[in-house]
């Protein structure tokens, strides 16, 4: 016969075991996954409990969302929606996905803000200078599940050779530059958001690469939110979105990487919650001819790679899509005009520029509250 004391000990033991199991099941931890898409890599860290959805399931949600954007918006795929528009006749409305049309409208507002310094129709000039998917070289590009996935393997010898072949062996002639400039102009494209169409009045070439990666980060963040995950950090090719807190309850702190990558020291640290940050720099994609560096940031007004003293700019915004486009815009405007515009419009921007063989940095008024001393 079991004594009452023994029964009580069994009950207490069971309660303690259940309590321990409950505490373990509710203890939060950081889970992570990564992948390749949109011409670069992505990394996701999020806070979850051991009994939450499997990491593989969350990873698939994010990858599928990013891969879909890549398939529809890549200029490295001849069958993408965007490339179908680029090949479409002048004067013909083209039905496109709603988000592509809305993204063009976001880019148009940034173009107007910069008086044309930023322009997603700069594609003909980008291609001319060898920084885009020229028609002749597309068919010779290394095979991949997506063209952007191929672009990610930039360290691979096959893709490096393809990119080097794409870069011009000499500076394009003024005649060629003027001919390409004649096909550039965001105002030659009319967006009908209600009917989800774009129509061009000149044979322009839209390249959303300066804004689509940021949009991808926003969409990955939405996928996590829809899965019930509120505390996370999403990074795609250096563009970042954070939400909530880390597992220990502390803020997400991010490094503004800085142009002097070899030194290994970030130029600044920021603390963010439910914000996105995008960075653009003259050291990320360039080539040299006769000792002179030509950056991938093309000024649509001059037709030449921008050569002001600005080395890098980081922008913080509610959406990474907007931050991505603004960062590119500021690289064209330069640190002086850029800082003036950022302060006038209340944009959080951090400019790092070349100075006496080194670098100096300056923050706009709206950026300063995010800085960690």
């Amino acid at each position: 016969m079991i004594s009452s004391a023994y029964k009580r000990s069994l009950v207490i033991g069971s309660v303690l075991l259940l309590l321990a199991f409950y505490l373990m099941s509710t203890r939060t931890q950081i889970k992570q996954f990564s992948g390749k898409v949109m011409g670069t890599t992505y990394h996701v860290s999020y806070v979850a409990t051991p009994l939450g959805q499997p990491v593989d399931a969350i990873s698939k949600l994010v990858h599928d969302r990013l891969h879909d954007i890549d398939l529809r918006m890549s200029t490295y795929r001849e069958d993408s929606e965007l490339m179908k528009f680029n090949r479409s006749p002048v004067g013909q409305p083209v039905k496109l996905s709603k988000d592509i049309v809305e993204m063009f409208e976001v880019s148009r507002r940034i173009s107007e803000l910069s008086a044309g310094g930023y322009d997603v129709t700069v594609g003909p000039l980008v291609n001319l200078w060898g920084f885009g998917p020229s028609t002749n070289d597309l068919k010779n590009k290394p095979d991949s599940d997506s063209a952007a996935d191929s672009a990610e393997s930039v360290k691979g010898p096959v893709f490096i050779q393809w990119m080097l072949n794409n870069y011009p062996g000499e500076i394009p002639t003024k005649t060629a530059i003027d001919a390409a400039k004649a096909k550039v102009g965001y105002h030659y494209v009319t967006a009908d958001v209600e009917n989800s169409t774009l129509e061009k009045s000149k044979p322009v070439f839209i390249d959303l690469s300066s804004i689509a990666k940021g949009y991808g980060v926003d969409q990955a963040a939405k996928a996590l939110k829809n899965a019930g995950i509120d505390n996370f950090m999403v990074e795609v090719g250096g563009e970042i979105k954070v939400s909530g807190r880390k597992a220990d309850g502390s803020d997400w702190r991010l490094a503004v990487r800085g142009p002097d990558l070899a030194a290994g020291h970030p130029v600044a640290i920021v603390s963010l919650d439910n914000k996105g940050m995008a960075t653009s720099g003259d050291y990320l994609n360039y080539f040299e001819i006769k000792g002179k560096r030509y950056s991938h940031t093309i000024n649509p007004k001059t037709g030449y790679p921008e050569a002001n003293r600005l080395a890098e700019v980081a922008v913080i915004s509610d959406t990474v899509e907007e931050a991505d486009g603004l960062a590119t815009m500021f690289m064209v405007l330069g640190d002086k005009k850029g800082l003036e515009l950022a302060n006038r419009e209340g944009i959080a921007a951090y400019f790092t520029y070349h100075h006496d063989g080194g670098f100096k940095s300056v923050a706009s008024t709206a950026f300063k509250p995010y800085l960690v001393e």
Side-chain angles (χ1 to χ4, degrees), residues 77-363:
R77 297 186 63 98
E78 292 184 327
D79 60 347
S80 72
E81 280 189 59
L82 188 59
M83 287 301 289
K84 289 177 182 177
F85 170 78
N86 286 333
R87 292 193 303 270
S88 67
V90 169
Q92 175 181 304
V94 179
K95 188 79 171 179
L96 298 166
S97 297
K98 183 180 179 182
D99 56 350
I100 294 180
V101 178
E102 291 177 342
M103 194 180 306
F104 176 80
E105 281 295 272
V106 172
S107 74
R108 180 184 59 78
R109 290 194 292 272
I110 297 175
S111 294
E112 292 175 347
L113 183 66
S114 61
Y118 172 83
D119 195 327
V120 293
T121 70
V122 75
L125 286 167
V126 172
N127 290 339
L128 179 66
W129 282 94
F131 293 108
S134 66
T135 303
N136 291 335
D137 287 330
L138 266 176
K139 61 179 179 294
N140 297 319
K141 180 185 61 59
D143 291 334
S144 170
D145 289 338
S146 80
D149 284 344
S150 177
E152 189 282 328
S153 54
V154 67
K155 294 182 180 179
V158 175
F159 189 76
I160 284 181
Q161 190 58 53
W162 180 74
M163 287 296 289
L164 289 175
N165 290 341
N166 224 20
Y167 290 152
E170 57 186 21
I171 299 173
T173 65
K174 185 177 184 304
T175 300
I177 291 173
D178 288 343
K181 279 176 60 181
K183 298 178 181 179
V184 174
Y186 68 93
H187 48 282
Y188 296 130
V189 180
T190 302
D192 185 337
V193 177
E194 184 176 349
N195 294 307
S196 194
T197 64
L198 292 179
E199 180 181 347
K200 53 191 174 185
S201 58
K202 275 194 174 185
V204 296
F205 182 102
I206 292 180
D207 184 347
L208 295 174
S209 60
S210 63
I211 196 170
K213 191 165 56 172
Y215 175 73
V217 177
D218 291 329
Q219 291 304 303
K222 285 185 178 180
L224 292 172
K225 289 274 191 179
N226 291 340
I229 298 170
D230 295 318
N231 302 285
F232 58 81
M233 177 177 68
V234 178
E235 179 264 331
V236 180
E239 323 304 10
I240 302 175
K241 178 97 174 195
V242 300
S243 175
R245 299 287 187 272
K246 293 190 290 186
D248 61 3
S250 62
D251 294 340
W252 295 100
R253 291 191 172 188
L254 309 177
V256 179
R257 55 193 169 196
D260 192 7
L261 298 177
H265 302 297
V267 295
I269 302 293
V270 296
S271 177
L272 303 180
D273 179 15
N274 200 30
K275 293 286 184 180
M277 183 171 73
T279 307
S280 185
D282 67 357
Y283 54 87
L284 297 174
N285 190 3
Y286 65 91
F287 64 86
E288 293 184 359
I289 295 179
K290 297 180 179 179
K292 183 175 181 179
R293 177 181 293 194
Y294 294 88
S295 171
H296 71 291
T297 303
I298 309 296
N299 187 326
K301 291 186 173 182
T302 66
Y304 287 82
E306 190 49 58
N308 61 58
R309 68 175 186 166
L310 184 57
E312 179 192 79
V313 61
V315 177
I316 295 173
S317 183
D318 290 335
T319 69
V320 193
E321 174 186 10
E322 181 179 64
D324 203 2
L326 288 172
T328 301
M329 177 195 77
F330 284 129
M331 285 303 299
V332 174
L333 295 182
D335 60 293
K336 292 182 179 180
K337 290 183 179 179
L339 181 61
E340 180 182 342
L341 176 62
N343 284 332
R344 186 173 71 242
E345 298 294 329
I347 299 170
Y350 192 82
F351 302 87
T352 300
Y353 55 92
H354 298 275
H355 181 78
D356 289 341
F359 301 98
K360 278 195 172 183
S361 299
V362 60

